[in-house]
Amino acid sequence: MQDNEKNPVVKFKVITIFPEFFKPMLEFGIFSRAYKKGLIGFETIDLRDFATDNYRSIDDEPYGGGSGMVFKPVPLGKAIKKAKSEKKTKVVYLTPSGKLFNSDLAKELAKEKDLVFICGRYEGIDQRIVDLYVDYEVSIGDYVISGGEPAAMIVIDAIARQVEGVVKEMDSVVKDSFYDGLLDYPHYTRPETYNGLRVPAVLLSGDHKRIELWREKMKLVETLTKRPDLLERARLTETQKKLLKEIKEQLRKLT
Ligand code: ADE
């Protein structure tokens, strides 16, 4: 899959043994639109093209024995060198041993111009590749999936959303869950009553100030009840701190 010819804000290059995995990203949705507009660059690099034998083999048994196979350093090293077109290129390796991916890391990586992703398989890649070339080891969660490809898609999509112009209204990115370290408020659309459940009256009031305040409060309620761990790290404004105190007092009265 070749990059488009335009001058993108961020270029993503993915080293994988399954380039076909990524085709849908360029065909559907927000990422595909941004790619077609030239805002983001995207290219896959087939690791097997860098194999050194007639079998196009890219993995081998682990030294020291044990189950599984390991990506060999020679083909992977060559693929990385090819992908690193610029000095400033940063290399990201998707691995369950990496730093847990979150909104802050997405924002940090969105400042880069050129990002190369390594999708591992099997038992992983030769450690010397990590030592020599990898700038970020990133995990999408505390579980193991069968390969780095779905993880790369998630990470790339989240980074692309931070690039100005990718999401039509940046306002909706700013209001996304996690942007300010909090979960999003609940959303409702027509009809007003569904299976006996009514839309909260404030949302029908037309009073934008009250609606904003309700949404601010609901973000705190959602975070407090579903992910209290996030509140410990969130940088709350003075208004949010006051609201949170009120919510906690109200909850205390209820129990
Ligand atoms: N490869 C396998 N599991 C992974 C995970 N949790 N995050 C990133 N890459 C992975």
Side-chain angles (χ1 to χ4, degrees), residues 172-243:
S172 75
V173 173
V174 171
K175 285 184 179 158
D176 270 349
S177 281
F178 302 112
Y179 192 89
D180 58 1
L182 298 176
L183 299 186
D184 202 2
Y185 53 80
H187 299 260
Y188 295 87
T189 187
R190 273 178 276 271
E192 268 182 45
T193 306
Y194 172 70
N195 278 8
L197 297 180
R198 287 186 57 75
V199 170
V202 60
L203 299 180
L204 308 173
S205 69
D207 184 338
H208 296 294
K209 265 200 162 159
R210 271 184 64 216
I211 293 171
E212 269 314 298
L213 184 65
W214 180 85
R215 287 179 168 162
E216 272 305 310
K217 262 191 183 166
M218 288 312 291
K219 280 170 61 171
L220 292 162
V221 171
E222 289 286 290
T223 315
L224 183 66
T225 52
K226 295 180 183 167
R227 292 290 306 277
D229 57 302
L230 292 176
L231 278 177
E232 281 157 32
R233 279 175 279 143
R235 293 172 290 270
L236 298 182
T237 63
E238 285 310 309
T239 316
Q240 285 173 326
K241 280 182 197 164
K242 216 175 121 219
L243 283 174

Side-chain angles (χ1 to χ4, degrees), residues 149-167:
E149 285 79 5
M153 281 188 217
I154 288 167
V155 170
I156 289 171
D157 188 285
I159 297 170
R161 287 178 65 80
Q162 302 297 330
V163 174
E164 189 82 44
V166 168
V167 177

Side-chain angles (χ1 to χ4, degrees), residues 14 63 77 95 99 112 119 129 143 164 199 227:
V14 183
Y63 275 124
T95 164
K99 182 176 176 184
E112 300 296 338
C119 303
I129 290 291
Y143 45 81
E164 189 82 44
V199 170
R227 292 290 306 277

Side-chain angles (χ1 to χ4, degrees), residues 94-96 138-141 143-145 147-148 151:
L94 284 317
T95 164
V138 174
S139 165
I140 56 162
Y143 45 81
V144 176
I145 54 173

Side-chain angles (χ1 to χ4, degrees), residues 62-127:
Y63 275 124
S67 62
M69 300 288 269
V70 178
F71 273 7
K72 299 199 282 191
V74 174
L76 189 49
K78 283 187 180 177
I80 294 168
K81 274 192 205 142
K82 166 89 191 299
K84 282 186 82 156
S85 53
E86 297 174 30
K87 268 220 172 93
K88 283 178 280 175
T89 307
K90 290 283 190 293
V91 178
V92 181
Y93 170 41
L94 284 317
T95 164
S97 311
K99 182 176 176 184
L100 215 50
F101 188 64
N102 62 14
S103 180
D104 284 344
L105 190 50
K107 282 183 225 164
E108 186 182 329
L109 289 170
K111 290 183 196 141
E112 300 296 338
K113 295 259 150 283
D114 206 57
L115 288 164
V116 172
F117 292 81
I118 304 169
C119 303
R121 290 253 146 196
Y122 324 118
E123 290 310 304
I125 66 178
D126 190 289
Q127 181 59 32

